[in-house]
Amino acid sequence: MELFFQQLINGLSLGALYALVAVGYTVVYGIVQLINFAHGEIFMIGAFGAYATWVLMGSPSDWTATTSLLVLLPMMIIGGMVASVATALATERFAYRPLRGAPRLAPLISAIGVSVFLQELVRLFFGKIPGMPDAKSSVPFPDIAGISGATITLGGVIIQMPAIFTLAALAVSTVFLWYFVNRTKTGRAMVATSQDPDTARLMGINVDRVIMAAFAVGAALAAIAGVAHGLMNGNIGFRMGFLAGLKAFTAAVLGGIGNINGAVVGGLVLGLAEAMASNYLGTTAWKDVWAFVLLILVLVFRPQGLLGAKVVDRA
Amino acid sequence: MLEIKQIVVAYGRVNAVKGIDFAVEQGQIVSLLGTNGAGKSTTLRTISGLLKPVSGEIWFEGERIDGLPAHKIVERGIAQSPEGRRLFRQMSVEDNLKLGAYSRKDTSGIKADMDRVYDLFPVLGERRSEAAGLFSGGEQQMLAIGRAMMSRPKLLMLDEPSMGLSPIMTQTIMKTIQDLQADGVTILLVEQNAQAALSLADRGYVLEVGQIMFSDTGKALLGDDRVRKAYLGAD
Ligand SMILES: Nc1ncnc2c1ncn2[C@@H]1O[C@H](COP(=O)(O)OP(=O)(O)O)[C@@H](O)[C@H]1O
Ligand SMILES: [Mg+2]
């Protein structure tokens, strides 16, 4: 039973990470019908942005848990977000916007190009920035006092603090997203644009701005996920976006692509499925297999996803 | 107020509008008539900036507006209620109206205009938090017109507001259009229902396969034999 709870926590925290990345796939798809295959790299760049912020703050290693949690970690998250959002907006502006109206394959190929470009950019040039370590192989992520290596015990189950951080980050992000989509003018414009772009234009909505907002929101959450990944795994690397991106994309499809709640649910379900399957059905080496088996099953039997894809409404 | 000069609009290689001219004067109701496929919606979509003309010019209040993005055209004072209403069906009446006011920042003015829409169409006021898709065709048309009014346009363009409505409902909508004109709104009305549209119109233009065939005052067109034969079902 304890093992079950352990796997439950592992699955949920892994799922929370997928969910944070999956939101970015889904909001962008909902508005421009583009699978942004470079989104995994936006997540990776968030982790490197947070790392660079830590270096810029003087690579602090002796801060107390309180100052680490109240100052260091928030600064690193903000730094990661700045890096991710700037990269995502530049990608949108220069790699996708010129291809709007082109056949759908064109932006998809462009996205794959951007993905390779960003990986290589970090691999070859991160170490060239003064003060930054070489990123040709993985880089150890800084220890954050109070989180890294820390655990709490709940009814006999040991829970890693990085897992708690990831779950809390997802909870806060979900509340923020709900508020943004349902209560702000830009959020309403986003929903309108995803339902009917031409009519949204007739309302006076600047669709370019809405598209930028979608990329920015997705990138900000991906940056949080990048930090979470660093904390949970202890290191980051230029390749980390590939598998995480693929998993998060699976989560978005699982929940119903275009559906924000679906991305959150899909992420959690995928994380749980992976943790449980690798525990009860085979070794951990198989966990990626189970994730993609789940994707194939959903695509065959419920292509609209668990919560249903975005309902495009043109009546 | 609005002047269309020789615009040509194409979908791919096919010209849907083949060099038309017309004008709308301040305070008028101008009707654009024609059978299905004549190019009426294409014309309105071009004025709104959803389509770019291949050639020709569009002038509004002394300035050239073709080539501007659609949201800039709304800011200049041109609103459109598109064909088929195109409401945001899962959103509430109130959210639809708020989206109509997207280009404005005067919160109190928006509130006042929303109340005006509710006065004009009490059904909408009573059920303001219900999803737009739950309303009848006529009520949805009222909402579509109300939504377009929320930007406080100087020129309101309506694309087939009577489509799919009962004769009684059509009359109600036409009466509303007249009331809006009395309030000082200039109206460009696209219709297939020539009888209804011409009875209100100060001026009418008849479009056939992308070209203007006749134009005259509404009254004159109602009495014109060619128009009566082709569009009013007279023989
Ligand atoms: N999106 C489109 N793509 C290609 N052709 C179109 C499109 N929309 C309209 N058309 C064509 O353009 C012509 C004019 O259509 P439209 O402006 O909708 O006419 P109306 O509103 O007068 O019925 C028609 O021949 C129609 O088939
Ligand atoms: Mg039409």
Side-chain angles (χ1 to χ4, degrees):
Chain A
M1 211 50 196
E2 251 165 52
L3 181 68
F4 172 81
F5 279 111
Q6 199 67 61
Q7 289 303 325
L8 189 70
I9 297 293
N10 290 350
L12 283 177
S13 54
L14 191 63
L17 194 146
Y18 295 156
L20 284 167
V21 182
V23 168
Y25 282 102
T26 241
V27 287
V28 165
Y29 184 85
I31 288 174
V32 286
Q33 279 77 53
L34 164 74
I35 308 287
N36 178 13
F37 270 117
H39 186 59
E41 276 59 54
I42 299 297
F43 153 81
M44 177 269 288
I45 283 182
F48 276 90
Y51 183 92
T53 308
W54 174 76
V55 173
L56 290 175
M57 290 177 76
S59 310
S61 57
D62 53 353
W63 290 25
T64 64
T66 317
T67 45
S68 291
L69 292 181
L70 294 182
V71 181
L72 184 58
L73 189 58
M75 289 300 287
M76 288 170 65
I77 292 173
I78 290 167
M81 283 180 173
V82 170
S84 287
V85 171
T87 309
L89 291 181
T91 305
E92 189 275 322
R93 180 67 192 79
F94 299 111
Y96 302 146
R97 200 184 297 181
L99 294 173
R100 228 180 276 156
R104 286 174 89 170
L105 198 55
L108 202 65
I109 291 168
S110 188
I112 294 167
V114 169
S115 161
V116 174
F117 172 81
L118 292 174
Q119 284 190 35
E120 289 301 298
L121 190 73
V122 169
R123 184 173 77 92
L124 297 172
F125 293 107
F126 189 72
K128 301 264 194 294
I129 305 169
M132 301 303 160
D134 191 86
K136 292 198 172 84
S137 52
S138 62
V139 176
F141 199 71
D143 279 345
I144 303 296
I147 295 191
S148 307
T151 56
I152 55 171
T153 310
L154 221 92
V157 184
I158 300 163
I159 308 175
Q160 315 287 331
M161 282 305 283
I164 303 263
F165 167 82
T166 311
L167 283 165
L170 178 67
V172 172
S173 302
T174 307
V175 170
F176 162 81
L177 262 181
W178 182 89
Y179 181 85
F180 173 73
V181 168
N182 294 293
R183 289 286 182 271
T184 68
K185 198 172 163 181
T186 308
R188 200 170 17 244
M190 218 173 211
V191 176
T193 306
S194 84
Q195 287 178 3
D196 186 343
D198 273 354
T199 305
R201 284 189 168 89
L202 290 179
M203 302 294 106
I205 292 168
N206 181 346
V207 170
D208 281 343
R209 290 249 297 272
V210 168
I211 292 171
M212 287 167 68
F215 273 89
V217 166
L221 298 199
I224 300 177
V227 173
H229 175 98
L231 291 170
M232 290 207 290
N233 292 41
N235 55 55
I236 59 176
F238 71 91
R239 244 187 231 120
M240 68 188 256
F242 176 71
L243 195 57
L246 218 48
K247 293 287 182 60
F249 170 65
T250 304
V253 173
L254 195 59
I257 187 106
N259 181 327
I260 294 179
N261 299 331
V264 174
V265 172
L268 292 173
V269 167
L270 183 67
L272 276 177
E274 261 187 35
M276 295 303 169
S278 60
N279 193 46
Y280 295 106
L281 295 180
T283 61
T284 28
W286 279 69
K287 78 179 176 49
D288 298 339
V289 174
W290 300 125
F292 297 117
V293 165
L294 191 60
L295 174 64
I296 292 165
L297 288 178
V298 167
L299 287 177
V300 171
F301 293 105
R302 200 174 156 79
Q304 74 274 36
L306 299 175
L307 300 201
K310 180 188 67 141
V311 184
V312 182
D313 185 18
R314 297 275 151 86
Chain B
M1 180 185 226
L2 179 76
E3 235 185 304
I4 308 296
K5 294 181 181 170
Q6 280 298 309
I7 57 163
V8 175
V9 190
Y11 295 101
R13 281 198 209 123
V14 184
N15 287 354
V17 169
K18 303 166 180 168
I20 61 171
D21 290 282
F22 68 92
V24 181
E25 302 301 332
Q26 170 102 42
Q28 283 188 334
I29 295 180
V30 171
S31 289
L32 204 55
L33 306 173
T35 48
N36 217 351
K40 307 179 298 294
S41 299
T42 303
T43 304
L44 290 200
R45 291 164 61 77
T46 309
I47 298 171
S48 279
L50 295 177
L51 298 171
K52 304 272 173 266
V54 177
S55 62
E57 298 176 2
I58 302 173
W59 291 73
F60 183 64
E61 294 191 309
E63 288 180 69
R64 206 172 152 178
I65 60 163
D66 53 286
L68 289 181
H71 67 272
K72 293 279 184 210
I73 288 171
V74 176
E75 285 168 18
R76 298 264 172 135
I78 302 180
Q80 181 186 160
S81 165
E83 183 177 323
R85 304 183 275 272
R86 305 280 283 251
L87 295 173
F88 298 105
R89 296 169 62 92
Q90 295 108 319
M91 291 193 204
S92 67
V93 167
E94 189 150 326
D95 280 351
N96 271 276
L97 293 178
K98 279 185 188 163
L99 279 164
Y102 190 82
S103 57
R104 295 170 59 183
K105 294 191 173 60
D106 55 324
T107 322
S108 59
I110 293 173
K111 183 83 191 58
D113 284 357
M114 210 178 270
D115 287 339
R116 211 178 106 214
V117 172
Y118 293 150
D119 280 345
L120 208 56
F121 308 117
V123 220
L124 300 181
E126 286 154 22
R127 298 166 57 193
R128 65 187 72 181
S129 50
E130 286 179 40
L134 299 174
F135 287 75
S136 75
E139 291 161 347
Q140 289 192 15
Q141 189 57 57
M142 292 171 182
L143 179 53
I145 296 176
R147 184 179 66 174
M149 287 304 298
M150 287 302 295
S151 65
R152 274 217 188 153
K154 295 169 191 159
L155 172 65
L156 174 63
M157 304 193 292
L158 303 169
D159 196 345
E160 301 204 29
S162 76
M163 188 164 78
L165 301 190
S166 68
I168 294 173
M169 208 60 223
T170 302
Q171 278 198 340
T172 313
I173 296 291
M174 293 300 155
K175 172 80 175 49
T176 308
I177 294 170
Q178 266 180 322
D179 292 347
L180 291 174
Q181 182 192 27
D183 277 358
V185 184
T186 307
I187 289 160
L188 177 55
L189 173 63
V190 161
E191 266 299 341
Q192 288 198 49
N193 184 339
Q195 177 74 47
L198 286 176
S199 337
L200 313 181
D202 295 296
R203 214 174 162 76
Y205 292 86
V206 178
L207 209 58
E208 262 174 37
V209 282
Q211 283 175 315
I212 290 179
M213 302 307 282
F214 328 104
S215 73
D216 209 326
T217 61
K219 216 182 241 145
L221 286 177
L222 266 180
D224 188 306
D225 275 348
R226 295 166 303 179
V227 175
R228 288 164 60 85
K229 273 212 182 90
Y231 300 100
L232 299 172
D235 37 28

